Amino acid sequence: MVDRANKPKTLVSTPGLPPQAIVTFSDDNSRVRAELPTGESVEVLLHGATVISWKDAAGDEKLWLSEAAKLDGSKAVRGGIPVVFPVFGTAPDHEQTKTLPQHGFARTSRWEFLGKSTSEDSSSLSSPSVKLDFGLSSAAAGLDPLARERWPFAFNLIYSVTLTRDSLNTGIVVTNDGEKPFDCQVLLHTYLRVKDISSVTIEGLASTPYTDKVASTTNQTHPDPLTITAETDRVYTPSSLSAAVTVSESGVPKFRVTRDNLTDVVVWNPWTNKAAGMADFEPKDGFRQMLCVEPGSVSSWQVLEQGDAFEGAQTITLV
Ligand SMILES: O=P(O)(O)OC[C@H]1O[C@H](O)[C@H](O)[C@@H](O)[C@@H]1O
């Protein structure tokens, strides 16, 4: 636990030991940044535990963040990796979550920074890593008041963000800490940054059934890699977790997304009209530089009884 009142600005730096990741808080305590000795970095806003930046050693940003994204806690962040919990979209027919706002309350709550771990032995110097842990529970001061009012369950969330030289892993553990069982959905709403959406192909989803939220159709498939040429909003339900999703640009693989226990993959691009309609989406043609590939557990509900836990994660590897 970090004592914010007396916190040192730099949390990790031990003289005499091999160089390790440096973890710092912003001056206003709104965000945590970790940088590997090799230069890669990640930045996480406590609001939503939203990853808002992931850069390689050359300083190239891998995530898309809207220039008009609200980072002051007044709304969910448009870009980066918002955490969706306990409902994906809205669920008017689902008794427990029907009054919750779109995508739930995890992305609009202030999480607590629980601490970091780094690879410290010299054998790991060639593959340094840093893990940042964040927590949110039903008892937390930072919980969105809407949650307490509309979702009266005792829960605990731990969200871990792990940076290595060539990957970012984000994983969540949901625990039911109360007597009442609850249903939940989880999704990691990742906005990948691309140079030009017209040169992007997405492999790994061919022949995979999907629900098309734009066309309002279910159980569709396509035979070839996916390209994005219009508004796209699909929930794919791959039969196997081992199917990686690879995002290529001009035929060159750029990101490989693998999933741990997250059975579904949402692909979203708002395109011209939807982007124009979102006040926090800037620049308006920014949809050409982004693609959301969102691993989740959203096509059904995880039912957690007292003491049960659900764990899910994604790894995005630079290829
Ligand atoms: O605008 P938001 O609440 O952040 O949602 C952004 C998008 O999230 C997901 O990708 C959904 O599938 C979309 O239907 C939704 O439009």
Side-chain angles (χ1 to χ4, degrees), residues 4-262:
R4 290 214 169 74
N6 299 306
K7 72 179 171 56
K9 187 165 166 56
T10 300
L11 299 175
V12 184
S13 178
T14 314
L17 282 180
Q20 296 169 29
I22 305 240
V23 179
T24 50
F25 265 106
S26 61
D27 288 338
D28 64 357
N29 275 339
S30 68
R31 57 187 84 174
V32 188
R33 180 175 185 278
E35 182 174 329
L36 296 178
T38 39
E40 298 81 3
S41 66
V42 66
E43 203 170 344
V44 185
L45 197 66
L46 293 183
H47 178 64
T50 315
V51 178
I52 52 170
S53 170
W54 168 31
K55 289 182 181 165
D56 66 14
D60 281 339
E61 180 59 59
K62 304 300 167 193
L63 300 175
W64 185 84
L65 179 67
S66 166
E67 289 171 10
K70 295 281 183 215
L71 303 181
D72 61 359
S74 59
K75 73 181 298 230
V77 176
R78 176 68 59 204
I81 313 181
V83 176
V84 170
F85 172 89
V87 59
F88 169 66
T90 54
D93 300 330
H94 184 257
E95 197 52 40
Q96 288 178 10
T97 60
K98 65 181 184 189
T99 60
L100 288 178
Q102 161 125 325
H103 296 340
F105 53 78
R107 65 177 185 163
T108 52
S109 294
R110 184 179 166 107
W111 293 56
E112 188 177 1
F113 178 57
L114 301 178
K116 49 81 195 150
S117 22
T118 51
S119 49
E120 291 184 357
D121 59 286
S122 51
S123 62
S124 63
L125 265 187
S126 57
S127 54
S129 71
V130 59
K131 177 161 85 76
L132 306 174
D133 290 327
F134 301 86
L136 179 72
S137 77
S138 39
L143 184 66
D144 184 333
L146 272 184
R148 209 162 271 131
E149 198 182 296
R150 302 185 188 176
W151 204 70
F153 299 99
F155 69 92
N156 189 57
L157 304 178
I158 304 283
Y159 185 56
S160 302
V161 175
T162 307
L163 175 70
T164 73
R165 291 209 65 185
D166 66 352
S167 71
L168 186 73
N169 172 285
T170 78
I172 191 164
V173 182
V174 182
T175 311
N176 183 345
D177 279 351
E179 285 170 14
K180 281 188 285 181
F182 63 73
D183 302 345
C184 65
Q185 298 177 328
V186 168
L187 174 127
L188 306 171
H189 199 306
T190 311
Y191 289 73
L192 299 173
R193 173 173 280 278
V194 297
K195 286 199 178 68
D196 177 1
I197 193 71
S198 67
S199 65
V200 166
T201 46
I202 304 153
E203 278 152 274
L205 297 171
S207 309
T208 302
Y210 67 90
T211 294
D212 190 329
K213 291 168 70 178
V214 178
S216 297
T217 51
T218 56
N219 221 12
Q220 306 290 299
T221 56
H222 50 82
D224 301 315
L226 177 64
T227 54
I228 308 286
T229 55
E231 183 189 351
T232 304
D233 191 356
R234 299 177 176 187
V235 182
Y236 285 86
T237 50
S239 57
S240 157
L241 274 170
S242 61
V245 175
T246 303
V247 177
S248 300
E249 286 207 73
S250 305
V252 180
K254 194 166 175 190
F255 300 104
R256 188 175 67 242
V257 181
T258 53
R259 296 164 289 124
D260 190 357
N261 215 20
L262 297 176

